[in-house]
Amino acid sequence: MPRFPPLESALVALRRNFPDRLVVAVMTHVDEVRLRLEAEGIPVFEDPTRAVRAVAGAERLRRLRGEAEALPPVPSLSALPALGGHEAAAKAVLAAAGLLVPPEQACATAQAAVRTAEAIGFPVVAKILSEDIPHKTEIGGVMLGLADATAVEGAFAELMRRARAARPEAQIEGVLIAPMLRGGVETIIGTLRDPVFGPMVMFGLGGVSVELFADVAFASAPLSPARAARLVDGVRGSRLLAGWRGGPALDRAALEAALCAVAALAAARPEIASIDVNPFLVQERGGFALDAVILTGDVPPGDA
């Protein structure tokens, strides 16, 4: 086997004289020479393109290691309300975890709905309340902008009728009355439990936009404030938060805090299969979880 002693000796001497520098050999070679050079810490390539790519990859890995953060501690969250259930139950869990939810009330009768709406102040939103109907808009289970008692009473009857017609087997607990919040940008905050990577957090534009534009970003849970900020930056639509075409800047800090809270909840409670907060309304001051679903147990892929 040829040894190329002059070149081999020169490369080894160069590596030993400059231990803090990367020495890469690009040359035709035999395995015997390559193994001896690699034992000295000198990678050997025949293809210059592969050599450049390898060096670039090593530099990227070095940079990522330098930027790596220690994961934030995961709170115990042992005092949460019962997981699962309908929207009001999911929001109670999120509120206990640190998210803001609107002042709202579950109402079993039309009279209770009217009293609640009058206490909250018009206009209000009415939503069917059933653990068996997590996606209410699919059955017309949400009515917006109810401006007076007559509208609320009629909405209660109509929502009950629609729910019973669409899902006669569903257990219906009444109607949720909530204030009609205006302004801001609707976003979505979600989690899923990946079988390999564990709890993952998703962020994107909310409402129907998430399905229309598929502009979302993912990160593993839990989140530090810095990673939450990078997650928001990973979505093109996040530019709306800074004010768009003369609009006001929105409370991005409140959004990032909500992302951290949802991520901590998913990381702390392994029985949570998925969380869907859609929309999370980001306003000039603060942000509110306007709708939420929490699923527990094993969820088939695509159903979370």
Side-chain angles (χ1 to χ4, degrees):
M1 288 284 187
R3 298 189 58 179
F4 307 106
L7 179 57
E8 183 179 344
S9 298
L11 288 170
V12 171
L14 184 64
R15 179 73 177 90
R16 292 177 179 177
N17 290 335
F18 298 94
D20 59 334
R21 302 298 177 90
L22 175 64
V23 178
V24 179
V26 180
M27 62 183 190
T28 58
H29 59 270
V30 294
D31 287 342
E32 180 184 351
V33 174
R34 176 181 59 80
L35 291 173
R36 284 199 302 271
L37 289 175
E38 289 178 349
E40 293 286 343
I42 304 172
V44 181
F45 298 88
E46 288 191 353
D47 182 354
T49 301
R50 292 190 64 189
V52 171
R53 288 177 177 172
V55 172
E59 166 58 19
R60 182 171 181 271
L61 181 59
R62 183 200 64 78
R63 188 173 66 252
L64 289 174
R65 285 175 174 171
E67 295 173 351
E69 307 169 1
L71 289 177
V74 178
S76 62
L77 298 178
S78 57
L80 290 177
L83 297 172
H86 47 57
E87 176 187 343
K91 285 181 174 177
V93 172
L94 294 174
L99 271 72
L100 291 178
V101 300
E104 54 192 24
Q105 182 66 46
C107 302
T109 66
Q111 293 74 22
V114 170
R115 289 194 300 270
T116 298
E118 290 173 341
I120 290 175
F122 296 101
V124 297
V125 177
K127 296 183 275 187
I128 199 68
L129 197 59
S130 172
E131 184 175 357
D132 300 318
I133 310 176
H135 303 293
K136 298 174 285 295
T137 56
E138 295 177 358
I139 67 158
V142 179
M143 299 183 71
L144 307 175
L146 305 175
D148 53 38
T150 301
V152 170
E153 188 173 4
F156 185 96
E158 177 62 16
L159 289 173
M160 297 293 284
R161 184 195 67 78
R162 291 177 184 178
R164 287 169 177 153
R167 297 289 302 277
E169 79 288 357
Q171 180 68 36
I172 301 171
E173 299 190 30
V175 168
L176 189 68
I177 301 296
M180 182 81 183
L181 299 181
R182 303 181 185 277
V185 169
E186 291 186 352
T187 67
I188 180 172
I189 299 173
T191 73
L192 57 85
R193 190 163 296 274
D194 186 270
V196 175
F197 298 105
M200 302 291 295
V201 188
M202 180 191 72
F203 169 72
L205 293 180
V208 298
S209 298
V210 67
E211 297 178 2
L212 181 61
F213 300 115
D215 184 17
V216 297
F218 289 86
S220 59
L223 290 176
S224 67
R227 292 183 67 227
R230 289 198 295 271
L231 181 62
V232 174
D233 288 336
V235 171
R236 295 187 299 275
S238 64
R239 290 178 294 175
L240 294 172
L241 300 172
W244 186 254
R245 294 192 173 182
L250 304 179
D251 196 341
R252 176 168 167 150
L255 168 62
E256 292 169 3
L259 281 164
C260 289
V262 172
L265 174 59
R269 302 299 291 266
E271 66 270 35
I272 294 178
S274 67
I275 302 171
D276 184 5
V277 184
N278 185 19
F280 181 84
L281 181 67
V282 187
Q283 297 189 307
E284 290 184 58
R285 288 192 175 183
F288 292 90
L290 300 190
D291 200 350
V293 177
I294 297 178
L295 299 179
T296 59
D298 296 327
V299 178
D303 290 350

